[in-house]
């Protein structure tokens, strides 16, 4: 547990640096383009961003004999790893439904709106859990989610990370569901060092707009990758809460999911 806490602090420092970088790159009163300083999604001749996979960074060594090869293996691992309220903090509770339906896979369409789709063939299994801090004492409900996606290969998982960056470049404003959207979205992959215990990391930041709230709230997406597995934690802010407090829980939940997979996978740092 102490090791988890220590790595959460180190990861949190990287995330904080990424947040600061995103803030510096965010557009002002319409003068800047807000693009993050990352060249992973290259541009094709037609001008459409095309994701390019990035090389793995030094991280952990996973026992190849324990790597999931089938959908059943991947399902067992994903359900054992995905973060519930306990990973976020004592004030969090399960939402209903708590887990995504089997086979669900969100897709960002040409109009920059998220719709229900089907998992690509490269995905063995993916699951999302939903938790929240209930509205109370004049504060709104903070809604969070955690996703574990297990791909067939490490290269497949790397492409997912690249595509996540491309989506933020293509759609800085995105529709979530009726009455909810995010705007001014920026994305960056902060630099890691030789002590990193994940292969890749992405931080996204924007404004969360909900018809139920008078003012925009914060929105943060934090995604990491270890081998063929990606982990994502997302926060939709609410009145009465600061971004700093909630993003600490976001990093902790992501690191806890990483640790659960590493333990099942016989990882060696």
């Amino acid at each position: 547990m102490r090791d988890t806490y220590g790595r959460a602090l180190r990861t949190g420092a990287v995330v904080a640096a990424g947040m600061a970088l995103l803030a510096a790159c965010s557009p002002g009163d319409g003068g800047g383009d807000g693009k993050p300083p990352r060249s992973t999604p290259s541009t094709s001749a037609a001008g459409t961003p095309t994701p390019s996979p990035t090389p793995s960074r030094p991280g952990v060594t996973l026992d190849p004999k324990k790597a999931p090869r089938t959908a059943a293996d991947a399902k067992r691992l994903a359900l054992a790893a995905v973060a519930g309220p306990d990973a976020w903090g004592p004030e969090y509770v399960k939402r209903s439904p708590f887990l995504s339906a089997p086979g669900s896979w969100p897709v960002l369409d040409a109009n920059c709106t998220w719709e229900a789709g089907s998992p690509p063939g490269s995905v063995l299994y993916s699951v999302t859990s939903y938790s929240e801090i209930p509205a109370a004492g004049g504060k709104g409900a903070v809604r969070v989610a955690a996703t574990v996606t297990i791909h067939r290969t490490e290269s497949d998982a790397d492409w997912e990370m690249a595509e996540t960056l491309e989506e933020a470049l293509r759609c800085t404003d995105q529709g979530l569901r009726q009455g909810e959207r995010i705007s001014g979205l920026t994305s960056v992959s902060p630099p890691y060092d030789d002590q990193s215990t994940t292969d890749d990391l992405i931080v996204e930041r924007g404004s969360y707009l909900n018809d139920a709230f008078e003012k925009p709230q914060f929105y943060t997406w934090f995604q990491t990758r270890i081998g063929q597995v990606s982990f994502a934690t997302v926060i939709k802010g609410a009145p009465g809460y600061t971004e700093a407090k909630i993003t600490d829980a976001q990093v902790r939940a992501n690191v806890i999911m990483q640790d659960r997979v590493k333990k099942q996978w016989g990882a060696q740092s």
Side-chain angles (χ1 to χ4, degrees):
M1 188 66 177
R2 182 177 298 177
D3 183 57
T4 297
Y5 177 73
R7 284 188 297 103
L9 289 177
R10 292 195 298 273
T11 304
V14 175
V15 172
M19 290 289 193
L21 190 58
L22 289 178
C25 295
S26 296
D29 297 332
D33 62 9
K35 292 182 180 179
R38 165 111 176 177
S39 59
T40 298
S42 58
T43 302
S44 67
T48 302
T50 304
S52 301
T54 57
S56 296
R57 299 180 177 92
V60 296
T61 301
L62 304 174
D63 185 348
K65 295 180 181 178
K66 296 183 179 180
R69 303 296 181 192
T70 67
D73 289 341
K75 178 180 180 179
R76 176 190 56 79
L77 181 60
L79 291 176
V82 71
D86 59 315
W88 289 89
E91 65 269 51
Y92 290 83
V93 298
K94 292 181 179 181
R95 288 170 56 194
S96 182
F98 173 58
L99 294 178
S100 58
S104 61
W105 184 264
V107 176
L108 189 63
D109 68 16
N111 295 319
C112 296
T113 298
W114 288 97
E115 296 184 342
S118 300
S122 62
V123 172
L124 285 173
Y125 194 81
S126 181
V127 64
T128 298
S129 63
Y130 303 97
S131 304
E132 69 176 1
I133 302 177
K139 297 181 178 180
V142 174
R143 293 188 168 180
V144 301
T147 301
V148 176
T149 301
I150 301 178
H151 293 264
R152 295 185 182 278
T153 67
E154 181 174 353
S155 178
D156 291 332
D158 198 26
W159 273 102
E160 183 204 349
M161 301 291 285
E163 288 169 351
T164 298
L165 284 164
E166 183 272 336
E167 287 167 347
L169 287 174
R170 177 169 65 89
C171 296
T172 56
D173 290 5
Q174 300 177 5
L176 301 180
R177 61 186 67 184
Q178 185 68 32
E180 292 182 76
R181 61 189 178 91
I182 51 179
S183 67
L185 190 64
T186 51
S187 181
V188 69
S189 181
Y192 255 21
D193 56 32
D194 289 344
Q195 300 304 312
S196 302
T197 54
T198 63
D199 295 313
D200 207 352
L201 181 153
I202 294 171
V203 181
E204 293 186 350
R205 188 171 183 262
S207 294
Y208 170 59
L209 298 98
N210 188 316
D211 289 350
F213 301 151
E214 292 183 1
K215 298 180 180 180
Q217 304 299 319
F218 59 87
Y219 172 91
T220 58
W221 172 281
F222 175 45
Q223 185 169 345
T224 57
R225 178 179 68 80
I226 297 176
Q228 71 195 79
V229 185
S230 68
F231 311 86
T233 45
V234 60
I235 297 172
K236 295 186 289 187
Y241 291 93
T242 63
E243 184 174 0
K245 176 182 177 178
I246 305 300
T247 52
D248 284 347
Q250 181 179 27
V251 171
R252 181 173 61 249
N254 198 290
V255 170
I256 286 173
M257 292 193 294
Q258 297 171 31
D259 282 349
R260 290 172 178 173
V261 165
K262 292 175 185 177
K263 182 177 180 180
Q264 300 243 353
W265 211 331
Q268 297 179 351
S269 299

